[in-house]
Amino acid sequence: MIALLAATLSLAVVSSDLDRRGADLYAVNCVTCHGADLGGTANGPSLQGVGADALDFYLSTGRMPLEVPGTEPLPAPPLFGREQISALIAYVLAHGGDANAQIPQVRASDDLARGRVLFEENCQACHGARGDGAVTGFGWIAPPLNPDDPTQVAEAVRIGPGIMPRFGPHEIDGGDLDALVAYVVSLRKPPDAGGFSVGSAGPVGEGLFAWIFGVGGGILLMLLVGETLKRT
């Protein structure tokens, strides 16, 4: 009984400490746009009812806080470290956030075939077949998926940032989400070992590049050599 009471008090101290640090961070970085009561302003939406999944996604991907209020939140180097993000999440959840919308727990999956089907059905139209993100809005609206870590991919699926639709457990359940995230992670490419990647344009674009610059350069070189021989 004493041990249980001590553990409860310890958790309460940790929770209050997180809340206090979160309050300080919120007052400096968030209150101008989201309001002192988290109810939102003309510069930013309400955070009432927002869950840890959305908060973690926007903060860990650097989409928040915005440098210029009212502009489109785009991926950027995150301003906060993991402890600061946890403190901000604790503060919002303690003052009107949705405690039920937790950060997704991504489990390892080797069902890449299922993940590919889900990606082709739900993601490929905007993010491209390889997740390069250049299909819609030149990568601004549907950004590349390579920089995102597995948890951020799962969070994006669940919350639907920007104009992206959200997919709840009824549309994509936990097992399918794991398979989808595993497939997105598999799309990541190592650095080009062969040198210039030609923008990773694929065999058609790279073949055209080879014909124009490779064969064309060879022909030009032969013409120059021929002219030089004529003069001698």
Side-chain angles (χ1 to χ4, degrees):
M1 185 66 179
I2 295 177
L4 179 61
L5 180 61
T8 303
L9 291 173
S10 177
L11 287 174
V13 170
V14 171
S15 177
S16 63
D17 182 55
L18 274 175
D19 184 70
R20 184 168 56 253
R21 283 185 288 161
D24 293 339
L25 288 166
Y26 185 89
V28 174
N29 300 281
C30 314
V31 70
T32 301
C33 293
H34 297 291
D37 60 351
L38 280 69
T41 69
N43 292 323
S46 170
L47 295 180
Q48 296 287 343
V50 175
D53 49 2
L55 296 168
D56 183 71
F57 176 81
Y58 279 98
L59 292 170
S60 67
T61 60
R63 287 173 166 83
M64 288 289 167
L66 292 173
E67 290 188 8
V68 181
T71 58
E72 183 70 21
L74 298 174
L79 178 64
F80 305 116
R82 174 46 54 189
E83 290 185 1
Q84 293 173 308
I85 290 175
S86 297
L88 278 167
I89 291 174
Y91 176 77
V92 173
L93 294 184
H95 295 82
D98 182 5
N100 295 317
Q102 297 297 315
I103 298 172
Q105 299 298 312
V106 181
R107 297 177 296 273
S109 173
D110 57 2
D111 193 357
L112 295 183
R114 178 59 181 159
R116 178 175 181 175
V117 171
L118 291 163
F119 185 85
E120 290 174 346
E121 291 177 347
N122 301 290
C123 316
Q124 182 170 309
C126 293
H127 290 286
R130 296 184 305 168
D132 292 330
V135 177
T136 301
F138 301 99
W140 301 327
I141 297 176
L145 301 179
N146 288 341
D148 294 334
D149 68 26
T151 299
Q152 290 170 350
V153 175
E155 288 170 342
V157 171
R158 288 295 188 236
I159 70 172
I163 65 170
M164 175 178 166
R166 66 178 62 191
F167 300 90
H170 294 294
E171 292 82 20
I172 298 179
D173 63 24
D176 281 348
L177 181 61
D178 293 336
L180 176 58
V181 171
Y183 180 73
V184 170
V185 171
S186 76
L187 294 175
R188 296 177 182 169
K189 304 177 293 296
D192 292 285
F196 186 44
S197 66
V198 199
S200 299
V204 176
E206 292 172 4
L208 181 62
F209 181 89
W211 271 100
I212 294 175
F213 292 95
V215 177
I219 293 173
L220 179 61
L221 179 61
M222 287 187 289
L223 290 174
L224 291 174
V225 171
E227 288 295 324
T228 302
L229 292 175
K230 285 180 182 180
R231 292 173 185 171
T232 58

